[in-house]
Amino acid sequence: MENPSKVDVVGVGLNATDTLIPVAQYPARGSKVEFRSANLLPGGQVASANHRVPAVGLRTRYVGKVGDDSGAALHRSEFARTGVEAHLLTAPGWRQPASVHSRG
């Protein structure tokens, strides 16, 4: 980066994808529950925080590694949509870490 822009917040760290599955009630331990939809969202502690920074009027930069999968594409588009200056190192063949959450 030759002349980096000035930002208020810089986040360096993990990004991941989160799958959010809405359910009518939280399932009992060891049980199964039917669900009708699942939402794939950008996640990871640092990346999630950086996605929210522009909403409070601050400029932010995120530095991190992404793969070359759909999770990486999701993060790229969300950083652009929310106005985060993203500096992403692409690691070919690497998949984004992922987690699944239910909401009841």
Side-chain angles (χ1 to χ4, degrees):
M1 290 181 5
E2 291 184 13
N3 289 317
S5 60
K6 295 198 184 282
V7 295
D8 301 301
V9 176
V10 175
V12 179
L14 181 68
N15 61 76
T17 56
D18 292 336
T19 303
L20 181 63
I21 301 173
V23 294
Q25 61 188 32
Y26 196 80
R29 185 180 192 98
S31 69
K32 296 180 180 181
V33 64
E34 186 175 321
F35 66 93
R36 299 195 190 299
S37 66
N39 304 306
L40 188 63
L41 304 167
Q45 293 173 336
V46 175
S48 293
N50 270 67
H51 284 303
R52 298 292 176 226
V53 170
V56 297
L58 299 174
R59 296 165 304 191
T60 186
R61 176 181 300 132
Y62 174 79
V63 180
K65 177 175 86 170
V66 295
D68 56 3
D69 62 350
S70 61
L74 174 65
H75 273 280
R76 287 181 191 283
S77 67
E78 189 66 7
F79 283 130
R81 185 186 74 75
T82 58
V84 174
E85 179 187 313
H87 296 269
L88 304 171
L89 169 68
T90 301
W94 187 72
R95 296 183 53 83
Q96 300 300 115
S99 62
V100 177
H101 307 274
S102 62
R103 178 179 63 192

